[in-house]
Amino acid sequence: MRKIAMGLLALLLITAGSLSLILVAAASDAEAAANTMTCTSAIDPVGNGQQGPGSAPAATGWSDALDQKSQAIVVPMSPQGPQQTPQWSDQQRRNAATITNVARTRNLSPRAAVIAVATAAQESTLENLTHGDRDSLGLFQQRPSQGWSTAAQITDPVYASNGFYDTLVKTRDWQTRPLTDVAADVQRPDERYRSAYAKWEQSAAGLVSTTWGSAAVTSVYKGCDTTTPTTPDPTGNFTAHNPRTAAQAAAAARAASTSGRSDFYRLCDNFVAQAYGWGSSGSETANVHWQRLVATGDAHPGDNAPPIGALLFYDSGSAAGHVALYLGNDMVASNDIAGDGIIGIRPRTDFTNGTWHLRYRGWAAPAFPSAGGTSTLPVPGGTT
């Protein structure tokens, strides 16, 4: 399904062998050249434990009118195996925010925070426990008998987080190795449990991106895809509850593209919500929407085979990002692609290699947390 181009290149790289971003590429030589530029341009390093997080570069070819002054911070992840999708309590989210903010005050990268939050999720389910195996305590289940300081200190979330990071930054290749291996080297669990941290990576990245700021967005990086997928569109068994089905949303989007409407300028997230029957999406920007869906397990970062009706998310180099509606057969409906505020239908490669040179993040189920109101986009009669 994915063919990885030579060289692992990405929006943000930690080292030459680290995580890199999937992009849809084209078959023609001209389009392939454009995709190469998209994949290789403006690569920034991620903080190595002593440096800050870095910020995403502006996307090549993106309209100035659509760009924003603040740039996105990428929270890199590379999930391995099945992922947990818990519903965190307010207290658990606050504990994750504390762990993340300690990383920020230490000028560590978002990757450090993802590792730490995933570790605490496994050790304590992000609860500041006053008990545990033998003398294990706190968010990270650190043990006084193993030199992690006193019981009072390691049940202080800030102190415990600093202790974790003190060891993390001394751990071999922590920026580039799999999360579960790094976490195990820090925590030193029984060998049977070294892989236990892996299942929390996606959820941890969602929690970190929410705390890091409105411009923080999770991304999985896998390299530059060199061909357009030729396999049939997979079936989308969406469980999200919307006023409209995926078929009705696609029909509404197609009808909008011929309606002459031009009132969706910079309203990509509103457009896809309206296609699904809502009046508003419930999220401030496409980036905010993406990170919410990552946190709930509705996102498929880096997956290049979306089903019909899926939401396709892109990095635009700005705090807003971009989202469009997948219609099938490699065609996408989007606002502004055919003119300011106008709904257009284009091949996926026009987003990554053509008009805008955006960087593909992945697809998500059409879930709209906090959505409300009623759409103004009609569905053609007879569509079910």
Side-chain angles (χ1 to χ4, degrees):
M1 180 171 62
R2 301 185 183 98
K3 295 182 180 179
I4 306 304
M6 295 180 64
L8 296 177
L9 299 169
L11 173 63
L12 289 179
L13 290 179
I14 300 174
T15 68
S18 66
L19 310 171
S20 52
L21 174 67
I22 254 188
L23 289 178
V24 183
S28 73
D29 291 341
E31 288 175 324
N35 188 60
T36 300
M37 180 177 65
T38 304
C39 288
T40 60
S41 60
I43 297 171
D44 288 346
V46 173
N48 62 4
Q50 304 303 319
Q51 301 170 346
S55 59
T60 305
W62 183 255
S63 167
D64 290 339
L66 293 175
D67 205 4
Q68 295 189 359
K69 292 181 180 179
S70 57
Q71 292 185 326
I73 300 296
V74 173
V75 180
M77 61 178 177
S78 183
Q80 296 180 323
Q83 297 292 294
Q84 295 289 317
T85 56
Q87 296 296 314
W88 300 113
S89 68
D90 289 343
Q91 183 59 54
Q92 289 168 311
R93 290 180 180 277
R94 282 194 291 271
N95 286 333
T98 296
I99 296 169
T100 301
N101 282 326
V102 171
R104 295 185 67 181
T105 60
R106 292 175 62 120
N107 207 27
L108 293 172
S109 68
R111 182 63 180 169
V114 173
I115 296 170
V117 171
T119 301
Q122 169 60 26
E123 297 289 359
S124 68
T125 61
L126 288 170
E127 295 178 356
N128 192 25
L129 300 177
T130 56
H131 60 275
D133 178 47
R134 289 169 284 189
D135 58 339
S136 299
L137 297 167
L139 289 171
F140 297 94
Q141 289 291 279
Q142 295 158 333
R143 299 177 60 190
S145 64
Q146 298 298 313
W148 285 102
S149 298
T150 67
Q153 288 171 325
I154 59 181
T155 51
D156 175 346
V158 173
Y159 188 97
S161 297
N162 271 308
F164 180 88
Y165 291 126
D166 285 344
T167 303
L168 174 69
V169 297
K170 298 174 185 176
T171 302
R172 177 181 61 85
D173 298 331
W174 68 265
Q175 306 97 324
T176 57
R177 292 166 58 214
L179 179 147
T180 196
D181 292 344
V182 174
D185 282 355
V186 174
Q187 297 295 105
R188 294 170 292 175
D190 186 287
E191 285 296 320
R192 294 173 295 173
Y193 305 116
R194 283 188 62 88
S195 63
Y197 306 96
K199 61 182 175 287
W200 299 104
E201 183 162 356
Q202 180 168 309
S203 182
L207 291 169
V208 169
S209 68
T210 300
T211 300
W212 210 279
S214 61
V217 187
T218 49
S219 283
V220 166
Y221 306 126
K222 296 292 185 184
C224 296
D225 204 20
T226 57
T227 60
T228 300
T230 57
T231 55
D233 294 311
T235 302
N237 297 314
F238 302 130
T239 59
H241 297 289
N242 294 305
R244 295 174 180 171
T245 65
Q248 289 173 327
R254 291 185 183 279
S257 71
T258 60
S259 68
R261 286 185 61 165
S262 59
D263 55 345
F264 283 101
Y265 180 54
R266 301 193 192 186
L267 295 177
C268 59
D269 208 42
N270 180 258
F271 162 63
V272 295
Q274 291 224 27
Y276 269 97
W278 300 106
S280 62
S281 73
S283 298
E284 183 180 359
T285 66
N287 277 353
V288 170
H289 193 179
W290 170 252
Q291 66 189 39
R292 294 176 78 181
L293 297 186
V294 168
T296 59
D298 290 305
H300 298 264
D303 192 323
N304 203 30
I308 295 172
L311 307 183
L312 307 188
F313 286 86
Y314 298 87
D315 167 39
S316 66
S318 77
H322 190 66
V323 60
L325 178 64
Y326 185 55
L327 303 179
N329 296 319
D330 218 41
M331 301 301 289
V332 179
S334 171
N335 65 309
D336 297 327
I337 193 74
D340 290 349
I342 300 173
I343 304 304
I345 297 176
R346 297 286 190 275
R348 278 197 285 171
T349 51
D350 203 22
F351 292 81
T352 54
N353 314 341
T355 303
W356 287 341
H357 291 288
L358 303 184
R359 294 170 175 84
Y360 176 65
R361 291 198 180 285
W363 66 270
F368 298 89
S370 310
T374 302
S375 173
T376 62
L377 293 179
V379 179
T383 307
T384 59

